[in-house]
C-alpha cells in the first residue's frame, strides 16, 4: 500500500509555476530520497506534503486519506528541519513532548513516549538541557526524537544533516538508516548530497527544474540513468561526457567515434538511432581503463591520492580546459602530473545519449558483464 | 583590477591602509575615541543636570535669591506632604491604566502584522500617531473629546448613547489621558514587538504547526516566551515614560479637575515654575528618578533581560 500518493501536484507563485505536475507513489515503509540541485523544488515538494506550502493543484493522499487541504497537524506527518527548529526556551524533554502536550495526551503517556524515544536516540541524560547546551548532532537527534514520539504515518526530513560537520554527518546518516530499519517507517528525505541519497534510499527521486527526471533504486539510477541530467547528477565524482558520432551497430555492440577519432565499442541498444547521429558518450571515472597505448590520450593535470583510490584529472585535446576527464586509478597508481594517460572504455563501461540527451538502453551493467566473464 | 592590485602589493609591500590599521593595543583607544562624542553629550545633558538636581534638592533655591543649604529638610517635607503622596498615587494609577492596555494592544497589533497583514503601509499608519508631538496629540483629542463641540459625543448621541465629559470629569480624566497616550504610543510598542517577533525563526512556527499548535498556542508558547528581552525593553521604557507623563496633562487638564490628574511630574513643574521652589522640586525629581532606577533594576533582574533564548 502506498503511504503517500501525489497526483499531478503543482505549485505556482502567481503566474510562475515551480512544481510541474508531480506524480509519485511512496510505498509503506519505504525510504524515499528527493535529490536534485539547488532550486529544483525538492524542499518545496516536501513542504507541500507537510502542509507548510499550499498545493496549487493536484491531489495528495497520505495514509489513504486525501490530505491536500488538511492542516499540517492532521496530515499524520512529522518533520525534521535543516535548522533543527527546536524551541530554544524549552528543555529537550519539553521539546519532544510539545506535540503530545498540545494533543492533550496524559502525563504518563508523554513521559513514556519521550523516555522511549530518548533511549533509542541516546538522549536520556540530556532531557533537562536546553537546545543551546547541545552539540549539533545532539540537537538533530532531539529533532528526530520530537518526530518519533508523535508516531506519524510519514517522516519528512528536510536536509537534516547539512548543518553538521563531515564526520558527524556520516554518524547521523548511519543512525537514521538504523532508525528506519528498526521502525520500518515511511520516510521522505530531501538532500542535495547524493552520497546520502545513495546510501539511505530505497528509492531516489531525481528532481530538476520542478519536475521529476527519474525515479528508481540507487543502483538503477547509477547504472541506467534515463538522461544526461541524471547521469551527470548521480555518481561522485560525476560521469564524464564525450562528444561522438554513432557509426553503426554490430550485434549488441554500437560503434562510436569520439571527437579525436578514437573508436569505442559499447554494449548498447541504439534502437532507431541512425548511424551518423551525433551522440554523447558517458563514462564514469571508474570505468576508464588505463592502457599502454592507443585509446583516448590526454595529459594529466592534477592527481588526487585518496588512499583507497587515485583520481587523475586529464586534459584531452579538443575539450575545454574546465572539462577535464576524471579518471579513477588504483590506489597505488604512480601516475604523475604531466604524464600522458591512454584510456580505454570497456564495452560495459559506457553510456550513450542521443541528441536530445535521452539515454539509449544499456545491454549490460558492470555486474552482469563480470558475471558473464 | 584585483590582479593589478595584487601585483602592486607584491612589489610595494603592504598598501598604506593596511599599514595604518591599529595594532591590538590601540583598540581600546580607538573604541574610546568612537564612544567619546556620545559620552560628552551624556555628561553635559544628562549626568551634569542630574548631579545639579541632587545638589539643588538640598537647598532652598527659589530662582531669585542664592540657594541656601537646608540639608535633608526638602526630603522630610516631601515625606510629610499629602500632595506628593496624592501625586504619586495618581501617577501609579496612570501607569497601571496605561501599561497593561498599551502592551496588550501593541502585542496584538504586532502579532497581526507579523502573522496576517505584512503591509508596510499599515505599519506606517500604526506608527503615525507617535510621529505627532505630545502637545499636538493632546490638542487634537481635547477638541475631539470636547463635551459640546467634539465629534465623539455627537457620534455617541447619534447612536443613542450617553455623552461624557472626558477631560472635565474627575472620574474620567485620568482614564482619558491614559487613552490618549495609549493611542499615541501603541504603534511604537507594536513596531518594537514586531521587530522582536521577526527575529524569531519562522521554522519554529512551522514545527509548531506540524506539532498541532493553533495560532493562539503558537503565540502563547513560542512568541511570548521568545519576546522576553523585547518585552523587558518595552516595559522599562514605557513604564519609565509613563511615570514621567506631563505634556498631555499640562495641555489638556493642568492637573485638574479636582487634582484628579495631578501626576508627579506636573506637581514637580508646579513647585518649580508656579511656586518657584526649585529645591523642593529637585527633591521630588530625585525621588522620581530613584523610583525609576529601582523599577528598572528589579524588572531587568526578574526577567533576565540580558539573556535571550534565541542567542
Amino acid at each position: 500500500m502506498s503511504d503517500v500518493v501525489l497526483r499531478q501536484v503543482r505549485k505556482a507563485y502567481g503566474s510562475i509555476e515551480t512544481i510541474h505536475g508531480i506524480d509519485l507513489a511512496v510505498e509503506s515503509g519505504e525510504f524515499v530520497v528527493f535529490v536534485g540541485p539547488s532550486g529544483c523544488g525538492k524542499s518545496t515538494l516536501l513542504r507541500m506534503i507537510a502542509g507548510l506550502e499550499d498545493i496549487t493543484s493536484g491531489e495528495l493522499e497520505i495514509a489513504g486519506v486525501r490530505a491536500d487541504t488538511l492542516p499540517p497537524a492532521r496530515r499524520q506527518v512529522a518533520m525534521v528541519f535543516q535548522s533543527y527548529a527546536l524551541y530554544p526556551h524549552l528543555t529537550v524533554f519539553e521539546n519532544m513532548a510539545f506535540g503530545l502536550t498540545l494533543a492533550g495526551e496524559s502525563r504518563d503517556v508523554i513521559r513514556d513516549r519521550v523516555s522511549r524515544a530518548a533511549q533509542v536516540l541516546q538522549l536520556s541524560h540530556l532531557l533537562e538541557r536546553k537546545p543551546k547546551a547541545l552539540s549539533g548532532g545532539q540537537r538533530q537527534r532531539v529533532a528526530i526524537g520530537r518526530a518519533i514520539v508523535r508516531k506519524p504515518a510519514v517522516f519528512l526530513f528536510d536536509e537534516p544533516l547539512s548543518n553538521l560537520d563531515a564526520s558527524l554527518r556520516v554518524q547521523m546518516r548511519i543512525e537514521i538508516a538504523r532508525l528506519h530499519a528498526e521502525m520500518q517507517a515511511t520516510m521522505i528525505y530531501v538532500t542535495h548530497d547524493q552520497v546520502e541519497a545513495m546510501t539511505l534510499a530505497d528509492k531516489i527521486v531525481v528532481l530538476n527544474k520542478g519536475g521529476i527526471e527519474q525515479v528508481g533504486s540507487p543502483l538503477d539510477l547509477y547504472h541506467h540513468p534515463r538522461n544526461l541530467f541524471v547521469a551527470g547528477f548521480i555518481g561522485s565524482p560525476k560521469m564524464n561526457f564525450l562528444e561522438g558520432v554513432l557509426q553503426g551497430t554490430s550485434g549488441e555492440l554500437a560503434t562510436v567515434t569520439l571527437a579525436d577519432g578514437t573508436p569505442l565499442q559499447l554494449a548498447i541498444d541504439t534502437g532507431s538511432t541512425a548511424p551518423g547521429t551525433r551522440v554523447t558518450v558517458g563514462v564514469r571515472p571508474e570505468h576508464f581503463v588505463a592502457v599502454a597505448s592507443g585509446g583516448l590520450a590526454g595529459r594529466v593535470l592534477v592527481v588526487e591520492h585518496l588512499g583507497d583510490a587515485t583520481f587523475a584529472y586529464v586534459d584531452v585535446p579538443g575539450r575545454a580546459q574546465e572539462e577535464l576527464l576524471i579518471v579513477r586509478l588504483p590506489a597505488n597508481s604512480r601516475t604523475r602530473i604531466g604524464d600522458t594517460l591512454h584510456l580505454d572504455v570497456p564495452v560495459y563501461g559506457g553510456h550513450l545519449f542521443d541528441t536530445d540527451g535521452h539515454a539509449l538502453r544499456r545491454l549490460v551493467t558492470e555486474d552482469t558483464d563480470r558475471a558473464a566473464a | 583590477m584585483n590582479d593589478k592590485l595584487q601585483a602592486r602589493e607584491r612589489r610595494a609591500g603592504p598598501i598604506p591602509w593596511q599599514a595604518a590599521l591599529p595594532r591590538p593595543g590601540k583598540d581600546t583607544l580607538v573604541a574610546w575615541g568612537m564612544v567619546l562624542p556620545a559620552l560628552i553629550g551624556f555628561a553635559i545633558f544628562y549626568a551634569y543636570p542630574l548631579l545639579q538636581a541632587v545638589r539643588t534638592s538640598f537647598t532652598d533655591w527659589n530662582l531669585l535669591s542664592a540657594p541656601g543649604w537646608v540639608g535633608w529638610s526638602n526630603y522630610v517635607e516631601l515625606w510629610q506632604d499629602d500632595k506628593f503622596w496624592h501625586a504619586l498615587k495618581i501617577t501609579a494609577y496612570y501607569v497601571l491604566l496605561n501599561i497593561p492596555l498599551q502592551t496588550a494592544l501593541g502585542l496584538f497589533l504586532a502579532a497581526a502584522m507579523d502573522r496576517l497583514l505584512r503591509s508596510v503601509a499599515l505599519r506606517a499608519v500604526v506608527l503615525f500617531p507617535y510621529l505627532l508631538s505630545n502637545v499636538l496629540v493632546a490638542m487634537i483629542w481635547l477638541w475631539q473629546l470636547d463635551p459640546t463641540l467634539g465629534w465623539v459625543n455627537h457620534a455617541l448621541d447619534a447612536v443613542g448613547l450617553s455623552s461624557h465629559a472626558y477631560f472635565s470629569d474627575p472620574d474620567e480624566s485620568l482614564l482619558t489621558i491614559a487613552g490618549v497616550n495609549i493611542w499615541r504610543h501603541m504603534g511604537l510598542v507594536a513596531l518594537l514587538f514586531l521587530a522582536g517577533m521577526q527575529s524569531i525563526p519562522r521554522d519554529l512556527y512551522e514545527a509548531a504547526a506540524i506539532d498541532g499548535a493553533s495560532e493562539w498556542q503558537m503565540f502563547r508558547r513560542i512568541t511570548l516566551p521568545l519576546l522576553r528581552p523585547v518585552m523587558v525593553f518595552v516595559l522599562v521604557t514605557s513604564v519609565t515614560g509613563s511615570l514621567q507623563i506631563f505634556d498631555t496633562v499640562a495641555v489638556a487638564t493642568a492637573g485638574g479637575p479636582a487634582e484628579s490628574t495631578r501626576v508627579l511630574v506636573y506637581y514637580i513643574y508646579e513647585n518649580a515654575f508656579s511656586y518657584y521652589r526649585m529645591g523642593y522640586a529637585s527633591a521630588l525629581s530625585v525621588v522620581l528618578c530613584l523610583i525609576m532606577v529601582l523599577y528598572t533594576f528589579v524588572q531587568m533582574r526578574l526577567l533576565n533581560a540580558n539573556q535571550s533564548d534565541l542567542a
Side-chain angles (χ1 to χ4, degrees), chain A residues 93-250:
Chain A
F93 181 92
E94 289 164 338
N95 262 283
M96 289 167 72
F98 193 81
L100 299 177
T101 311
L102 293 176
E105 294 288 355
S106 72
R107 281 186 182 180
D108 288 343
V109 170
I110 293 173
R111 201 177 308 121
D112 181 49
R113 284 212 218 160
V114 172
S115 312
R116 256 193 263 172
Q119 221 166 358
V120 171
L121 294 162
Q122 296 159 25
L123 290 169
S124 302
H125 61 298
L126 302 172
L127 287 175
E128 295 310 312
R129 288 200 197 167
K130 285 194 176 175
K132 65 180 168 189
L134 304 177
S135 68
Q138 288 168 335
R139 287 181 200 189
Q140 196 52 273
R141 287 212 294 270
V142 176
I144 294 170
R146 186 171 63 183
I148 288 175
V149 296
R150 295 187 56 227
K151 295 188 176 173
V154 182
F155 285 85
L156 306 174
F157 294 87
D158 188 5
E159 305 210 30
L161 308 185
S162 56
N163 283 351
L164 304 178
D165 64 44
S167 65
L168 206 50
R169 202 178 305 162
V170 173
Q171 190 188 326
M172 284 304 297
R173 199 175 73 206
I174 293 165
E175 285 195 35
I176 290 173
R178 182 176 61 83
L179 265 177
H180 178 247
E182 279 175 17
M183 297 169 68
Q184 287 299 308
T186 307
M187 294 182 173
I188 303 178
Y189 187 105
V190 164
T191 182
H192 62 266
D193 181 338
Q194 54 163 299
V195 178
E196 275 173 32
M198 296 292 283
T199 52
L200 287 170
D202 296 321
K203 185 157 85 185
I204 294 178
V205 178
V206 182
L207 290 151
N208 185 32
K209 295 177 182 168
I212 292 179
E213 293 282 354
Q214 191 172 354
V215 178
S217 71
L219 289 180
D220 189 33
L221 263 58
Y222 190 79
H223 291 302
H224 299 284
R226 186 184 288 168
N227 54 37
L228 272 172
F229 177 82
V230 177
F233 194 79
I234 298 291
S236 178
K238 62 180 287 192
M239 184 185 281
N240 299 284
F241 295 117
L242 298 150
E243 297 305 315
V245 175
L246 180 66
Q247 298 300 331
T249 306
S250 165

Side-chain angles (χ1 to χ4, degrees), chain A residues 47 73 83 86-89 150, chain B residues 203-204 206 208 210-212 221:
Chain A
R47 290 167 60 81
S83 61
L86 299 179
Y87 310 117
H89 54 299
R150 295 187 56 227
Chain B
D203 52 15
L204 294 186
E206 293 179 344
I210 290 177
D211 275 339
R221 290 168 175 268

